[in-house]
Amino acid sequence: MKKLVGHYGAPLLMILPSILLIGIFVYGLLGVNFWTSMTDNHSAAQASGRKPVAFVGLTNYIELLLTEDFRHSLANLVLFTVTFLVGAMAMGFLWAWLLERPLRGGRLFQTIYLFPMAVSFVASGVVWRWLLNSNQGENASGLNRLFQMVGLDFLQNPWWNNITFGIVAIALPAIWQLSGYVMALFLAGFRGVPDELREAARMDGASEWQVYRMVIFPQLTPVLMSAIVIIAHMSLKSFDLIMSISSAAAYQTKVPAVDMFLFKSGFDYANSAAVGAFLLIIIAFLIVPYLVQQHRSRTR
């Protein structure tokens, strides 16, 4: 026992504060959130303790899934995530592929293309709210006005005010802001492939396309998986960009994060916590398999 204390005592004491802080402020609060989501805490009186709160199990989760509004929010979340993910990955990979070889002015372009990532979603949302203005014809502004000026009037559209695909328009500024980050990830992956592998493939008679397809692209799988997880995770909890461009009351751009804000504002803590739990479960389904795969690849 003394040997164990002497061997592990000092390291445990060093990490004990971190363990306590994470245990209380991360896992402890997660537990409180899940508990709140399984109560009938739906009013200000209950939130302030003036009325009792009862345990109702999974009732809040079931009722949320049965409401058309929440299903619409989930559908919007899927649309936003898919558009954001595909757009950011495609744009980022394309620019990384083009910049993989040293080009004149390439560093300057990388800096410019990465710059939007340094801007907050709130600041960029204010600008994009004007660019995505839904007014058309004589009152057009933003992109609709630009289309009008260059004779492409048929491209004018209501953008985020479209009932069915309004959330897709809000994915455009998200793609603009994060595709530079994806480009940086893929560029690092491209430049991490040893030149010896490329030369060996060329000496074996491989064409330039075969070198990329058979040698370089397979080496980018870890980068691809990391980019997918990061972008998908960010899209699932998007809130500030949506609120900066649209509004909490806009049905066409509602997502679960906005629902959580609305429930919390109305002292409906139980449903707000239930929406948060839904988001956590969705994110866990994405991240846990990735972490397991990363652990297995490191222990081989």
Side-chain angles (χ1 to χ4, degrees), residues 114-129:
L114 270 171
F115 177 74
M117 187 184 167
V119 181
S120 72
F121 277 127
V122 174
S124 65
V126 172
V127 177
W128 278 93
R129 181 181 176 88

Side-chain angles (χ1 to χ4, degrees), residues 59-94:
T59 302
N60 293 323
Y61 294 90
I62 296 170
E63 289 181 352
L64 277 174
L65 289 174
L66 291 176
T67 59
E68 194 277 332
D69 276 0
F70 188 66
R71 291 200 303 271
H72 174 75
S73 295
L74 288 175
N76 274 350
L77 181 63
V78 172
L79 269 176
F80 180 80
T81 300
V82 170
T83 306
F84 183 19
L85 185 62
V86 172
M89 296 295 292
M91 292 294 295
F93 179 80
L94 176 63

Side-chain angles (χ1 to χ4, degrees), residues 99-116:
L99 294 170
E100 192 251 331
R101 296 169 184 168
L103 295 173
R104 192 173 179 181
R107 293 289 180 127
L108 176 62
F109 177 81
Q110 290 174 38
T111 303
I112 294 172
Y113 202 59
L114 270 171
F115 177 74

Side-chain angles (χ1 to χ4, degrees), residues 141-222:
S141 63
L143 292 178
N144 282 345
R145 177 61 176 165
L146 176 63
F147 293 148
Q148 192 180 70
M149 291 170 65
V150 297
L152 298 174
D153 297 56
F154 65 93
L155 290 178
Q156 294 187 68
N157 65 86
W159 299 108
W160 60 269
N161 276 311
N162 184 292
I163 293 295
T164 307
F165 298 107
I167 194 67
V168 174
I170 294 185
L172 297 178
I175 294 169
W176 168 79
Q177 198 152 358
L178 268 298
S179 56
Y181 175 68
V182 176
M183 177 198 71
L185 289 177
F186 277 117
L187 203 53
F190 274 121
R191 292 176 179 173
V193 178
D195 290 335
E196 293 79 5
L197 287 178
R198 303 173 189 238
E199 292 303 323
R202 292 188 183 104
M203 289 178 66
D204 288 340
S207 65
E208 198 63 24
W209 166 244
Q210 288 174 326
V211 170
Y212 275 99
R213 188 168 64 89
M214 305 301 294
V215 177
I216 298 176
F217 289 164
Q219 299 288 321
L220 297 177
T221 302

